[in-house]
Amino acid sequence: QVQLVESGGGLVQPGGSLRLSCVASGFTLDRYAIGWFRQAPGKERERVSCIGISGNTYYEDSVKGRFTTSRDNAKNTVYLQMNSLKPEDTAVYYCATSRGLGPCLQSDMNSWGKGTLVTVSS
């Protein structure tokens, strides 16, 4: 059974940092691009970042320079390091996989995790 599990969310003050993890089971991530997405209450789900098979990355403008995605294929894990967090970063964060070469468009994603909640508040 294929599964993606996100972890690392929680409550953090503005300006703080969190590192999210996405661990795959039932398959290996080395042949997939991995995207991070988020959905705030009452808003549409949006793409945050993408890391390709070769390690190339894409970031949404709103998080560029603050967030970094990386992968550790040996651990079957992808990370999202989030620094300088803002209240508007509050959302449920999801990871998802794609075998495409594009920048993790939502329509290209196959498997999705159940999400982890990130709350940025003072």
Side-chain angles (χ1 to χ4, degrees):
Q1 180 178 339
V2 299
Q3 187 175 13
L4 294 172
V5 178
E6 303 94 338
S7 63
L11 175 64
V12 64
Q13 294 183 336
S17 298
L18 285 174
R19 188 179 74 161
L20 306 184
S21 298
C22 173
V23 180
S25 61
F27 66 102
T28 56
L29 289 177
D30 60 342
R31 293 185 178 271
Y32 293 86
I34 309 297
W36 286 97
F37 302 80
R38 66 186 181 186
Q39 187 168 26
K43 296 185 177 180
E44 298 290 327
R45 185 172 60 196
E46 65 175 349
R47 180 179 52 182
V48 175
S49 68
C50 181
I51 183 165
I53 297 171
S54 64
N56 55 302
T57 56
Y58 160 87
Y59 299 96
E60 166 69 26
D61 286 343
S62 63
V63 307
K64 193 174 299 181
R66 299 187 298 119
F67 290 12
T68 302
T69 187
S70 61
R71 63 193 303 154
D72 186 340
N73 289 337
K75 295 183 178 180
N76 223 25
T77 301
V78 171
Y79 303 97
L80 183 67
Q81 178 67 47
M82 305 184 296
N83 299 323
S84 302
L85 283 162
K86 304 175 181 179
E88 48 263 49
D89 295 319
T90 296
V92 176
Y93 284 72
Y94 302 88
C95 63
T97 64
S98 173
R99 283 186 164 178
L101 298 177
C104 298
L105 300 178
Q106 291 196 47
S107 60
D108 292 334
M109 311 313 292
N110 305 123
S111 298
W112 291 78
K114 294 182 179 179
T116 185
L117 176 63
V118 172
T119 302
V120 184
S121 176
S122 60

